[in-house]
């Protein structure tokens, strides 16, 4: 991304010689909804019906999970997706995970995270939170976390492909486009810009 190459093409470039690997790197924007909405529904059922968690407790842990997603989104984007290794193999991995999106931001099939990457990541987060949190609260907590993730994926797709009329969404789109076309070292928040203000990675007002 340092070379600031940006293609205006909507084509989906090939990254892998192997057809199967190539297919895993592309996904339609609605696929995460198909994969994760049933999972979120199951977590709701586990918390509210199977273990009969009080509604207020459920709401509290749900909102906590959603809040943790917002800082997770920021940290992943800033420190993982934008980490640029020196080794050649590391550069290739970086390009696969995020560099390709900055070089080809109009590639509609690489705007949401493919299940081949998101499912292992989601499982890792689930077991981490299950280990850290008190018994059973992982169900509402992780449902909030996953809704935050789905919101991020859908917003990210919309920011690249929708023409907004509403002032809030226009401002959010401008924020993300500045990250792509002006300065990729700022504006790491995609669905939430709050943490850019906190960590001073927001764009200067002019």
């Amino acid at each position: 991304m340092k070379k600031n190459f940006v293609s205006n093409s909507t084509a989906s470039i090939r990254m892998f010689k192997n057809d199967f690997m190539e297919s895993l790197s592309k996904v339609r924007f609605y696929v995460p909804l198909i994969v994760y909405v049933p999972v979120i529904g199951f977590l709701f059922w586990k918390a509210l019906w199977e273990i009969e968690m009080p509604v207020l407790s459920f709401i509290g842990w749900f909102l906590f999970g959603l809040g943790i997603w917002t800082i997770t989104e920021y940290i992943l984007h800033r420190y993982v997706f934008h980490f640029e290794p020196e080794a050649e193999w590391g550069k290739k991995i970086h390009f696969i995970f995020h560099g390709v999106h900055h070089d080809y931001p109009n590639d509609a099939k690489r705007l949401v995270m493919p299940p081949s990457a998101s499912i292992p990541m989601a499982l890792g987060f689930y077991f981490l939170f299950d280990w850290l949190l008190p018994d059973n609260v992982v169900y509402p907590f992780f449902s909030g976390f996953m809704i935050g993730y789905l919101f991020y994926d859908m917003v990210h797709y919309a920011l690249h492909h929708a023409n907004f009329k509403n002032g809030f969404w226009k401002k959010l789109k401008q924020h993300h486009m500045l990250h792509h076309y002006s300065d990729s070292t700022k504006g790491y928040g995609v669905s939430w810009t709050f943490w850019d203000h906190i960590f001073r990675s927001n764009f200067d007002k002019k």
Side-chain angles (χ1 to χ4, degrees):
M1 289 185 290
K2 286 183 178 179
K3 61 184 181 300
N4 293 323
F5 169 77
V6 179
S7 171
N8 290 320
S9 172
T10 58
S12 188
I13 67 156
R14 190 176 184 94
M15 289 201 301
F16 299 96
K17 293 180 180 179
N18 183 278
D19 290 340
F20 178 70
M21 291 294 294
E22 180 68 11
S23 69
L24 292 180
S25 74
K26 299 178 182 181
V27 64
R28 297 287 185 181
F29 77 93
Y30 51 80
V31 169
L33 296 173
I34 295 172
V35 173
Y36 293 109
V37 167
V39 174
I40 293 167
F42 175 75
L43 293 171
F44 271 56
W45 175 80
K46 287 284 289 185
L48 294 172
W49 278 271
E50 184 170 287
I51 66 173
E52 298 181 339
M53 178 177 286
V55 173
L56 288 179
S57 180
F58 178 92
I59 292 172
W61 283 105
F62 175 89
L63 293 176
F64 184 40
L66 181 61
I68 292 298
W69 165 258
T70 67
I71 184 63
T72 302
E73 173 189 315
Y74 180 88
I75 290 172
L76 284 175
H77 192 186
R78 181 170 185 173
Y79 296 107
V80 179
F81 296 161
H82 277 267
F83 174 71
E84 299 185 28
E86 294 297 327
E88 285 302 316
W89 64 268
K91 291 179 181 179
K92 291 179 181 179
I93 293 174
H94 169 262
F95 181 78
I96 291 169
F97 272 91
H98 199 61
V100 65
H101 173 55
H102 272 263
D103 284 2
Y104 298 90
N106 296 318
D107 183 349
K109 293 182 180 178
R110 292 198 172 104
L111 280 173
V112 301
M113 193 176 294
S116 56
S118 68
I119 290 176
M121 189 177 293
L123 287 172
F125 276 120
Y126 178 84
F127 289 119
L128 173 64
F129 296 140
D130 190 39
W131 176 63
L132 291 173
L133 296 172
D135 288 345
N136 296 325
V137 301
V138 71
Y139 303 131
F141 177 91
F142 201 64
S143 64
F145 188 84
M146 290 307 298
I147 283 179
Y149 159 68
L150 286 180
F151 182 71
Y152 154 79
D153 254 356
M154 298 304 106
V155 166
H156 188 215
Y157 183 87
L159 293 180
H160 281 273
H161 286 280
N163 292 316
F164 297 108
K165 303 297 182 183
N166 178 274
F168 170 81
W169 292 106
K170 287 173 70 175
K171 188 175 180 180
L172 190 62
K173 179 167 183 169
Q174 180 189 38
H175 180 85
H176 191 58
M177 292 303 105
L178 285 172
H179 172 74
H180 272 280
Y181 295 100
S182 178
D183 187 352
S184 63
T185 66
K186 295 180 179 179
Y188 297 104
V190 177
S191 58
W192 309 82
T193 62
F194 173 78
W195 296 108
D196 280 310
H197 295 281
I198 297 298
F199 295 115
R200 299 182 179 180
S201 55
N202 202 25
F203 297 100
D204 297 327
K205 292 183 178 180
K206 296 182 179 179

